Amino acid sequence: MDHSNQFKQFNIAHQHKNRLRIIAHCLIKDGERALILRILLLKREAIKDVKIVPDIGSVTIRYDAAQLPTANLLMLLEAILTNVGLKPKQVIDALGIKKTALQGSAKTINFAIQGMSCSSCALYIEMMLKRDPKVSHAAVNFITETASVTGTLPKKELFALINANGYQAVSMDTLSERKEMFKLENRHRQEAKKQLIIAGALGLPIPLLSIFAKRSLPVILIQATLSSIVVFWSGRDFFKNAARHAKLRSADMDTLIALGVGAAYTYSLPSLFRRSSHVYFEAASGIIAFVLLGRFLEEVAKGEVLRDIRKLVNQQPQEATLLKGTIEIRIPVEDIVVGDILLIRPGEKIPADGEVIKGLSMVNEAPVTGAGAPCIKEAGHQVLDGSMNGSGVLHVRATATGTNTVLSGLVHMVDQAQTSKLPIQKTVDKISAVFVPAVIVLAGVTFGGWLFKGEKLAHALANAISVLLISCPCALGLATPAATMVGTGQAARKGIYIRNGVALETAANLQIIIFDKTGTITEGKPEISDLLNVSAWDDDTLIQLAASAEFNSEHFLAKAIVEYAHGKDLAILESSHFHSIPDRGVRATVGEHEILLGNEPWLNEKNIDLGALAATAKRLSSLGRTLVFLAIDNQPCALFAFIDPIRPHAREVIKHLHDMGIQTLMVTGDTEQAANQIAGQVGITTVIADASPARKLKIIRDFQNQGKRVAMVGDGINDAPALAAADVGMSIGKATGIAIETSDLILINGDIAQVAESIELSRRTLAVIKQNLFWAFSYNALAIPVAMAGRLNPLIASGAMALSSVSVIANSLRLKDK
């Protein structure tokens, strides 16, 4: 079949049974987009190899046509290239968060939901959203009262759907909107406290009157009056929510409470006319009071769970000082635009990401990155939104504002982790979905069973009410998200940002960790230690040409060469035809000269004879130096040797990982001698050198095919395919944008010790989740039969139910003590 004219994003150059070559116009002269396409394609098992020549936009794909028919592959390419061809910032969105690129125009919307009363509400909203054909994924978190929805449903329609089901959807795109949410949560907490105080104050006299006063009509009237206020004012939300769910043919925890309280209250009304009737006014008001107490304690505990994310959000100030010449203007942070000059006084928080253009000060970035010591900032240095200025005055040009700042990105990442679900939660959700209806059936069976046995109506009703009240789907619903919330919040406080719940659970079961070398085991701050010149050019000219060729590269070694040239006051010359090959080298034209800078295997491929540099290269490599060879017009000219300090604690963390039973490897594009020298210093015994990005990817897949759980720790664009393919990708320090976007865990302050720390935190979090689930299942498995057997008073049942959810959250909060 001829597909040649069907697609807008590419033309088919050659087609064979298991091989396809296309020309994609959006890839021409764009190595970064080419790499993104390669990452996305190689994540599919049916695609065996991808070769891209960015200079001409050529993409050659080897694939298994039995697994992936050619027609499907072509549609896949059209969908991915549509995303990859977007403007630069949107290119990263093509990677998604472990989601399929075939979603096309699908996008993820994060927002808040008000009006949820328990975890069953969150489960109901989630199920309701998933029924919509325009929604591909939905996750709702009751504790944070937030949701994450992926699909093609417009935000306006999504919010209308939520509101139509009796809840309120609220935007939280900006940090300011998040702060307003926190204020609203505080008002809700105060309202809950007020309802509890009134319920307690009016409900307490009701049982006391039964004990100390003779059961007369005036006493019953007083009890009925007090109980009515408690039930229909303090407990009004239970009945509203139950009625709303009844209209929608669903049920939740409020349904059980409303049924129990309503039955007790209604059964007691005849006592106003017949004193011989049994009275349950104290049970009705007591149930409301106990449940409100439990929910208030739950709100307090939720506030503690959210403390870390709240502190992160509150790092952004409310206002900023804008400089217009010599005039200072106070403006809301929402009004800052890129390019604005901001005045940062001593002790103020920095309101946007930016570049210092004037001034000198110590800036504390710990609130954002988790890094300990403040650092000096002066002209040319970057500063982060939410950092705290020291005693100096800074003039900062805004480079990112609003949702594009690092702080907003980190908050968004924590949101994603806290709304995402762990695999262990799937079974719990299936049980929770049928739990409330099952409890209602069991209560009916209990009522009928006791009547059939010959017991009085009042006794049968009391036992049925106890069954309704003792059950607690909330404890089941909170077991996983409560621990996940605390775990991810605790991680964020330490500068470890976990992208999703799956990564959190997977990290607890890792067996192998693969480390890159430069910028991962080492600090990524290389300096030139040696320069060997074997050409007729003088050293300064060679350095100037090399720096001019490397000026457009983001690689650590390239930046070191540029800084070396700046240190010698050498001008950077204009270059053209720049092309970067990850983990290999760069090619560029400077003036009339073609410049090649790269490692030995790459220059050998270009037929450059490096014999004159070989002996010195071998000696320097044995000392652990990283080497870059320079060729001009296909002639070998020089050798640059770099020294890069090993990160503090690297040896200790490798030993710690070995003690945890985790195998470690170093896989690097550097030479074998240099790699072995560094690996020996930190205690890694397995080293794979001269590894291209494709080889790193193959090594990970080989381990995964053996059934191993593999993590990759890296920092650069060359690590992006491996980070994306690993079961858990960890980017470390100030990694490149693509490395961060393809990672599951971001260790933002660059402390390699956090690799082991994040795994320990994952293991502790998973252990607490299992404890929570054990308690929640055991509680319901034991309590419901006891209630059916008539061994529980409704008041005791309501108290036990109210405290069960609090106990789950309290157990989760133990993670904060670690």
Side-chain angles (χ1 to χ4, degrees):
M1 181 179 177
D2 182 14
H3 301 282
S4 58
N5 297 316
Q6 293 184 10
F7 302 100
K8 296 179 180 179
Q9 303 298 330
F10 62 88
N11 296 322
I12 298 174
H14 176 73
Q15 186 175 339
H16 191 262
K17 182 180 179 182
N18 292 305
R19 188 171 66 250
L20 174 71
R21 189 167 82 85
I22 65 170
I23 301 298
H25 307 294
C26 67
L27 302 183
I28 295 175
K29 305 293 184 182
D30 197 326
E32 187 169 281
R33 281 189 170 93
L35 179 61
I36 291 173
L37 176 66
R38 179 180 172 81
I39 293 168
L40 292 169
L41 291 176
L42 286 174
K43 288 168 72 175
R44 288 158 178 80
E45 292 294 333
I47 296 178
K48 305 304 180 185
D49 188 36
V50 178
K51 292 183 178 179
I52 303 178
V53 182
D55 281 351
I56 59 172
S58 170
V59 182
T60 304
I61 304 169
R62 280 198 314 105
Y63 63 102
D64 185 342
Q67 287 183 270
L68 181 62
T70 301
N72 291 1
L73 173 59
L74 293 172
M75 287 190 293
L76 174 67
L77 283 166
E78 179 75 3
I80 295 178
L81 286 168
T82 297
N83 280 332
V84 171
L86 298 172
K87 60 185 180 181
K89 183 182 182 302
Q90 293 175 315
V91 172
I92 298 303
D93 294 335
L95 289 172
I97 308 300
K98 304 294 183 186
K99 65 183 180 184
T100 308
L102 276 173
Q103 289 174 335
S105 61
K107 60 181 179 179
T108 298
I109 302 173
N110 294 288
F111 59 99
I113 300 177
Q114 295 175 12
M116 293 190 292
S117 58
C118 70
S119 57
S120 296
C121 292
L123 182 61
Y124 167 76
I125 296 170
E126 197 172 288
M127 292 172 63
M128 176 266 296
L129 289 171
K130 287 178 178 177
R131 292 192 192 109
D132 193 298
K134 294 180 181 178
V135 173
S136 59
H137 171 76
V140 181
N141 190 316
F142 167 63
I143 296 179
T144 58
E145 298 183 344
T146 58
S148 178
V149 177
T150 301
T152 58
L153 191 65
K155 187 175 182 178
K156 187 176 180 179
E157 291 182 26
L158 174 61
F159 280 23
L161 183 60
I162 297 291
N163 297 340
N165 279 270
Y167 302 95
Q168 299 84 48
V170 181
S171 178
M172 59 172 201
D173 294 333
T174 67
L175 295 184
S176 295
E177 288 176 336
R178 292 296 301 265
K179 291 176 183 177
E180 287 301 315
M181 255 182 56
F182 293 150
K183 291 178 182 177
L184 191 60
E185 287 171 9
N186 189 55
R187 287 199 294 271
H188 286 166
R189 194 174 297 115
Q190 294 304 316
E191 179 65 21
K193 184 178 181 180
K194 180 181 176 181
Q195 287 183 316
L196 172 62
I197 291 172
I198 291 175
L202 297 181
L204 182 61
I206 299 175
L208 294 178
L209 285 170
S210 298
I211 297 171
F212 299 109
K214 187 177 179 181
R215 193 163 169 269
S216 61
L217 184 59
V219 169
I220 294 174
L221 283 171
I222 294 172
Q223 287 180 317
T225 302
L226 294 175
S227 179
S228 297
I229 297 172
V230 172
V231 169
F232 296 112
W233 190 83
S234 295
R236 63 190 183 279
D237 289 340
F238 299 119
F239 293 97
K240 285 181 182 178
N241 294 336
R244 182 181 68 215
H245 279 282
K247 288 180 181 178
L248 298 169
R249 297 183 180 181
S250 65
D252 70 347
M253 193 66 224
D254 285 344
T255 305
L256 301 181
I257 296 167
L259 285 173
V261 171
Y265 180 83
T266 304
Y267 184 81
S268 304
L269 289 178
S271 65
L272 296 172
F273 310 100
R274 290 181 297 145
R275 288 171 52 193
S276 58
S277 299
H278 202 88
V279 176
Y280 280 112
F281 288 126
E282 74 277 4
S285 57
I287 291 166
I288 295 292
F290 271 124
V291 175
L292 288 176
L293 173 63
R295 291 200 173 172
F296 176 71
L297 294 175
E298 191 178 300
E299 285 294 321
V300 173
K302 280 165 58 178
E304 186 67 19
V305 169
L306 292 168
R307 187 175 63 180
D308 290 324
I309 184 68
R310 189 178 286 109
K311 287 170 70 175
L312 192 61
V313 169
N314 286 333
Q315 278 308 120
Q316 188 187 60
Q318 299 278 14
E319 294 184 325
T321 302
L322 174 68
L323 285 178
K324 292 283 189 180
T326 59
I327 301 173
E328 299 178 13
I329 307 171
R330 293 293 288 177
I331 61 171
V333 291
E334 295 85 359
D335 294 344
I336 300 173
V337 297
V338 172
D340 279 349
I341 307 301
L342 307 172
L343 174 66
I344 315 297
R345 291 188 171 88
E348 289 186 340
K349 292 177 182 176
I350 296 171
D353 290 355
E355 179 184 359
V356 178
I357 59 173
K358 182 180 177 182
L360 175 69
S361 184
M362 296 289 286
V363 173
N364 183 10
E365 296 181 342
V368 180
T369 67
C375 49
I376 294 175
K377 298 291 184 180
E378 57 184 332
H381 287 180
Q382 301 297 314
V383 291
L384 300 178
D385 180 16
S387 301
M388 181 67 75
N389 188 27
S391 58
V393 176
L394 297 175
H395 289 194
V396 174
R397 179 186 292 111
T399 56
T401 64
T403 57
N404 295 324
T405 67
V406 170
L407 179 61
S408 289
L410 296 176
V411 171
H412 177 66
M413 195 176 299
V414 176
D415 282 339
Q416 288 178 318
Q418 295 182 340
T419 53
S420 63
K421 295 204 172 185
L422 277 68
I424 197 172
Q425 180 71 13
K426 292 179 181 178
T427 303
V428 179
D429 285 348
K430 290 178 182 178
I431 295 171
S432 297
V434 299
F435 188 91
V436 173
V439 168
I440 293 173
V441 171
L442 289 175
V445 170
T446 302
F447 181 72
W450 282 103
L451 284 180
F452 181 77
K453 190 179 177 182
E455 291 291 337
K456 292 181 179 179
L457 180 63
H459 185 70
L461 181 64
N463 291 338
I465 292 172
S466 294
V467 172
L468 289 171
L469 297 174
I470 196 66
S471 59
C472 191
C474 292
L476 284 174
L478 290 172
T480 300
T484 303
M485 290 278 305
V486 179
T488 52
Q490 186 78 340
R493 187 174 64 83
K494 297 179 178 181
I496 303 170
Y497 290 89
I498 302 171
R499 191 178 296 281
N500 54 61
V502 175
L504 181 67
E505 184 171 335
T506 305
N509 300 300
L510 288 173
Q511 298 162 286
I512 297 171
I513 297 182
I514 296 173
F515 290 90
D516 180 40
K517 182 178 80 70
T518 304
T520 303
I521 295 294
T522 63
E523 290 188 352
K525 299 176 182 177
E527 296 179 352
I528 294 176
S529 60
D530 300 271
L531 169 62
L532 175 62
N533 183 351
V534 295
S535 72
W537 304 77
D538 64 80
D539 287 357
D540 282 356
T541 302
L542 285 180
I543 295 167
Q544 185 180 44
L545 290 171
S548 300
E550 293 278 25
F551 187 71
N552 292 318
S553 174
E554 289 193 359
H555 197 278
F556 294 113
L557 301 180
K559 290 180 179 179
I561 292 174
V562 173
E563 287 178 9
Y564 192 59
H566 284 158
K568 290 180 169 289
D569 294 325
L570 300 174
I572 301 298
L573 306 176
E574 186 176 344
S575 64
S576 61
H577 302 96
F578 175 83
H579 182 55
S580 174
I581 299 90
D583 257 345
R584 308 291 274 173
V586 300
R587 180 179 70 239
T589 300
V590 180
E592 298 178 353
H593 303 290
E594 183 181 56
I595 311 297
L596 296 177
L597 283 135
N599 58 23
E600 185 175 1
W602 187 62
L603 267 73
N604 285 336
E605 288 177 14
K606 302 298 181 184
N607 298 315
I608 308 277
D609 183 8
L610 301 175
L613 301 167
T616 303
K618 184 175 182 180
R619 178 180 62 82
L620 292 172
S621 186
S622 68
L623 297 174
R625 303 291 191 265
T626 298
L627 308 180
V628 171
F629 295 84
L630 169 66
I632 301 176
D633 298 329
N634 292 319
Q635 296 299 313
C637 291
L639 167 65
F640 292 92
F642 300 82
I643 186 168
D644 190 7
I646 293 174
R647 288 188 185 272
H649 315 301
R651 186 172 184 84
E652 292 89 333
V653 76
I654 298 300
K655 182 179 184 301
H656 191 181
L657 290 172
H658 292 167
D659 292 342
M660 294 167 69
I662 297 173
Q663 179 185 351
T664 61
L665 295 83
M666 179 190 287
V667 180
T668 176
D670 212 336
T671 64
E672 186 171 355
Q673 286 179 311
N676 282 328
Q677 209 272 345
I678 296 296
Q681 292 184 51
V682 299
I684 295 177
T685 56
T686 304
V687 177
I688 300 174
D690 298 317
S692 65
R695 191 178 179 195
K696 290 179 182 179
L697 191 64
K698 184 178 184 304
I699 290 166
I700 288 173
R701 284 195 168 159
D702 287 345
F703 280 124
Q704 289 171 331
N705 290 335
Q706 297 169 24
K708 304 289 188 182
R709 293 286 182 91
V710 187
M712 173 71 195
V713 186
D715 68 299
I717 192 170
N718 56 303
D719 297 318
L723 289 167
D727 295 294
V728 177
M730 301 184 187
S731 65
I732 189 166
K734 299 188 184 299
T736 64
I738 293 179
I740 288 176
E741 287 298 326
T742 52
S743 299
D744 302 294
L745 274 72
I746 293 88
L747 316 179
I748 200 166
N749 69 16
D751 185 357
I752 197 172
Q754 289 185 326
V755 173
E757 193 173 359
S758 60
I759 294 171
E760 285 185 328
L761 180 61
S762 297
R763 290 182 176 183
R764 291 198 303 269
T765 302
L766 198 59
V768 168
I769 287 172
K770 291 177 179 178
Q771 292 167 9
N772 288 346
L773 289 173
F774 175 79
W775 156 249
F777 278 115
S778 299
Y779 165 82
N780 285 291
L782 294 172
I784 293 175
V786 170
M788 293 179 71
R791 301 293 182 182
L792 277 179
N793 179 282
L795 278 176
I796 297 174
S798 61
M801 181 273 290
L803 294 175
S804 61
S805 296
V806 179
S807 65
V808 166
I809 297 179
N811 187 52
S812 301
L813 286 170
R814 292 191 305 111
L815 287 166
K816 282 182 170 286
D817 300 329
K818 302 294 183 180

